[in-house]
Amino acid sequence: MLKLTLFLRCLGTSVCQQTAGWNGGARGELFFTMRASGAAFQPQFTRRRAALLFLVTFHLLCPAAEALLPGKIEFNRDIRPILSENCFYCHGQDGNKRKAGLRLDVREEAMKAVESGDTAIVPGDAGKSSIIARVFSEDSDELMPPPNSHRRLTAQQKEMLRRWINEGAKYE
């Protein structure tokens, strides 16, 4: 049976006993033990390697962790990727493909009333912004992106758009 022991020293702080096989040591040590065969394998990790291992593991297990953290939404980091992937094809810089006279890649254009008379983005008021009404719509004729585009926004992306507009819809 292979016994794999992962030893991480926690920078001098004591660690409480955790579930899932994690045990806190008396000197602030953290052990994780997995037994598979009789042989014993005990790698020696430096603090740097242990921290790197933790960060890589955390990043792989929680790819959306950064987006879940509270804080101010930034256009280039959080909003532009959503709009680029789902909206700019029909509402971007190409005037020949632009629909409803709406351009979302330029702030001044996104704040103007479109052909229907609605204003896509009203900074500070998501309730008056037609983009939010369209994104959250249950009606397939009103829903954006349209079903025939084969694109969908996740609930998290929709909420991020709402928060961004309520925070003032600042472009960068």
Side-chain angles (χ1 to χ4, degrees):
M1 301 292 249
L2 173 68
K3 179 182 176 187
L4 176 64
T5 302
L6 178 62
F7 170 78
L8 303 173
R9 180 174 297 268
C10 297
L11 305 177
T13 60
S14 65
V15 178
C16 299
Q17 287 199 346
Q18 304 280 328
T19 58
W22 290 94
N23 296 312
R27 297 180 320 197
E29 299 163 346
L30 187 65
F31 296 89
F32 179 74
T33 304
M34 182 173 74
R35 297 174 192 198
S37 70
F41 176 70
Q42 297 180 343
Q44 297 295 320
F45 287 101
T46 64
R47 286 183 183 171
R48 240 183 234 152
R49 284 184 184 169
L52 182 62
L53 176 66
F54 173 76
L55 290 174
V56 169
T57 304
F58 181 77
H59 179 69
L60 292 174
L61 295 177
C62 302
E66 185 177 320
L68 296 175
L69 295 175
K72 189 169 183 177
I73 294 177
E74 295 178 18
F75 180 76
N76 285 334
R77 181 191 68 201
D78 303 315
I79 302 302
R80 185 180 299 274
I82 297 170
L83 297 178
S84 294
E85 180 69 25
N86 299 288
C87 308
F88 285 171
Y89 183 79
C90 296
H91 303 292
Q93 66 182 0
D94 188 351
N96 295 325
K97 293 182 181 177
R98 194 170 307 133
K99 305 229 172 144
L102 175 60
R103 185 170 182 181
L104 293 173
D105 61 330
V106 177
R107 186 177 200 272
E108 294 76 25
E109 295 293 318
M111 309 297 163
K112 289 181 181 177
V114 294
E115 294 171 0
S116 66
D118 294 332
T119 303
I121 297 175
V122 178
D125 192 352
K128 291 182 180 176
S129 301
S130 65
I131 191 173
I132 296 301
R134 305 290 299 264
V135 162
F136 281 92
S137 179
E138 298 289 327
D139 181 3
S140 63
D141 293 332
E142 295 290 318
L143 181 64
M144 286 293 155
N148 64 359
S149 72
H150 305 290
R151 300 197 178 277
R152 289 186 182 200
L153 296 177
T154 65
Q156 182 181 5
Q157 289 172 324
K158 291 177 184 181
E159 196 54 43
M160 196 172 299
L161 285 169
R162 182 194 317 256
R163 280 186 50 208
W164 172 68
I165 291 173
N166 283 332
E167 289 177 7
K170 297 203 178 3
Y171 279 66
E172 297 171 345

